[in-house]
């Protein structure tokens, strides 16, 4: 009888140990940060703003000298994506390499946020993939992220909600900067070597001249001779107030257009395709808008 009692005590102790271990594992899982992989730093900084210290964000393309269109994934990149709970990408063919990585590395329960699909009504008719220059797209990405994080980590739902409110309030500074630039320079006609800044041009209420030329350059297609002549004429005759170029692209045609703009007295400003290191999303947009304003103000003197 004594033997059976001891055995029951031992079994009960083992059950208690097992229960404690399970609870410990659950607690560790609940306290572990959520892993997020972003195809580009533009979305990585948004994820960090919403997740705070409850997430670990890995932005695959963050070097300003790397062309996102030509990024080549490695086996190490695939492993980083495979271990992510949430993956962020741009879409519209901009980061097709990420689409391939996701297909090659399926994971149960992984959530994918594709910025360009969150509100198709915001996408321009030319299917311009540079949607990250539209603050409304950023807001939709941030809102979707907050919703996913609340589901994964309900204990800290209030934290994610507060972070989202702060991000929305911060975005209001961009709206104010856009409104000010529109008032100072209403109804401008501008152009660009490719449509990187296209969505922001729309926000500013400006017309974007030479879009056929820009789309061809974006798609690595040689513009027709007629398109090139029209583009050059717009610069030489100063029918446009500004030439916007891509900091990360240095092809001969873009360099030539910048030279013609300089000769003709058309101000130029370079923009980036993604957020540089140690910079937030809102800070990045504000800095870019300020650079545009300085270029226009300098030309008016």
């Amino acid at each position: 009888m004594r033997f059976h009692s001891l055995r029951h005590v031992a079994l009960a102790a083992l059950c208690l140990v097992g229960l404690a271990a399970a609870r410990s594992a659950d607690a560790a899982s609940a306290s572990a940060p959520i892993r997020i992989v972003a195809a580009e730093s533009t979305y990585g900084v948004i994820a960090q703003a919403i997740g705070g210290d409850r997430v670990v964000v890995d932005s695959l393309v963050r070097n300003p000298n790397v062309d996102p269109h030509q990024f080549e994934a490695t086996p190490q990149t695939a492993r980083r994506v495979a271990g992510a709970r949430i993956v962020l990408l741009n879409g519209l063919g901009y980061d097709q390499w990420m689409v391939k990585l996701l297909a090659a590395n399926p994971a149960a329960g992984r959530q994918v946020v594709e910025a360009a699909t969150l509100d198709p009504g915001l996408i321009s008719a030319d299917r311009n993939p540079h949607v990250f220059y539209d603050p409304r797209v950023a807001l939709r990405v941030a809102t979707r992220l907050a919703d996913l994080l609340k589901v994964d980590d309900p204990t800290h739902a209030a934290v994610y909600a507060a972070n989202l409110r702060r991000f929305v309030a911060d975005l209001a500074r961009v709206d104010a900067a856009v409104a000010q630039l529109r008032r100072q320079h209403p109804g401008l006609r501008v152009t660009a070597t490719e449509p990187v800044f296209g969505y922001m041009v729309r926000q500013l209420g400006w017309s974007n001249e030479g879009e056929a030329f820009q789309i061809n350059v974006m798609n690595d297609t040689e513009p027709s001779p007629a398109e090139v002549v029209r583009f050059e004429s717009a610069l030489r005759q100063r029918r446009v107030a500004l030439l916007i170029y891509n900091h990360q692209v240095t092809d001969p045609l873009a360099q030539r257009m910048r030279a013609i703009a300089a000769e003709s007295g058309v101000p130029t400003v370079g923009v980036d395709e993604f957020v540089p290191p140690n910079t937030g999303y809102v800070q990045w947009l504000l800095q870019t808008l300020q650079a545009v304003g300085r270029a226009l103000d300098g030309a008016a003197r």
Side-chain angles (χ1 to χ4, degrees):
M1 195 72 178
R2 179 184 173 88
F3 172 76
H4 288 294
S5 297
L6 289 173
R7 186 172 66 180
H8 290 155
V9 170
L11 286 172
L14 285 173
C15 288
L16 288 172
V17 170
L19 182 60
R23 287 176 177 171
S24 177
D26 289 343
S29 176
S31 64
I34 297 171
R35 297 189 60 80
I36 300 176
V37 167
E40 298 87 19
S41 62
T42 309
Y43 299 109
V45 295
I46 296 174
Q48 196 67 66
I50 303 304
D53 60 6
R54 298 296 312 146
V55 299
V56 173
V57 180
D58 184 4
S59 296
L60 300 181
V61 182
R62 55 177 179 242
N63 184 337
N65 297 317
V66 173
D67 184 348
H69 303 275
Q70 299 176 359
F71 180 79
E72 293 186 8
T74 64
Q76 181 187 15
T77 308
R79 286 192 293 272
R80 290 155 70 184
V81 171
R85 173 65 180 164
I86 299 173
V87 173
L88 307 174
L89 71 154
N90 186 82
L92 280 181
Y94 184 79
D95 36 24
Q96 192 62 24
W97 49 269
M98 176 60 89
V99 175
K100 294 176 182 177
L101 279 178
L102 290 170
N105 298 275
R110 180 174 60 205
Q111 297 290 336
V112 177
V113 179
E114 188 172 347
T117 65
L118 295 180
D119 190 340
L122 295 178
I123 307 305
S124 59
D126 54 28
R127 306 281 292 173
N128 180 358
H130 304 94
V131 297
F132 38 79
Y133 268 113
D134 191 328
R136 297 170 299 174
V137 171
L139 176 58
R140 280 158 177 75
V141 170
T143 303
R144 177 66 176 146
L145 265 171
D147 290 341
L148 291 176
L149 291 170
K150 289 175 191 175
V151 171
D152 263 14
D153 183 17
T155 304
H156 297 93
V159 173
Y160 303 129
N163 290 345
L164 178 60
R165 286 194 298 272
R166 276 193 292 271
F167 186 75
V168 171
D170 213 16
L171 275 178
R173 297 166 58 206
V174 177
D175 294 337
V178 168
Q180 181 180 4
L181 205 50
R182 286 184 70 151
R183 286 193 303 269
Q184 292 173 338
H185 304 280
L188 291 187
R189 298 173 66 184
V190 302
T191 192
T193 55
E194 58 181 296
V196 175
F197 203 56
Y199 289 95
M200 186 57 80
V201 169
R202 289 168 62 189
Q203 292 285 300
L204 290 162
W206 299 344
S207 62
N208 190 3
E209 302 295 314
E211 288 185 315
F213 175 96
Q214 297 174 42
I215 296 298
N216 280 328
V217 172
M218 177 184 74
N219 293 328
D220 291 324
T221 304
E222 190 73 25
S224 71
E227 288 171 350
V228 174
V229 168
R230 281 194 295 271
F231 198 92
E232 289 186 358
S233 296
L235 293 173
R236 294 188 190 280
Q237 297 172 20
R238 299 193 65 176
R239 295 199 305 269
V240 291
L242 182 71
L243 171 67
I244 302 161
Y245 65 92
N246 187 345
H247 266 144
Q248 290 151 253
V249 175
T250 57
D251 65 90
L253 186 57
Q255 298 282 45
R256 181 169 131 208
M257 296 307 171
R258 288 177 61 189
I260 292 173
E263 293 168 3
S264 306
V266 175
T268 64
V269 64
V271 298
D272 294 313
E273 290 205 42
F274 53 90
V275 176
N278 305 313
T279 307
Y281 177 78
V282 169
Q283 180 187 4
W284 174 57
L285 287 190
L286 290 175
Q287 289 174 349
T288 306
L289 289 168
Q290 289 163 3
V292 170
R294 285 193 300 269
L296 292 169
D297 292 342
R301 292 194 185 100

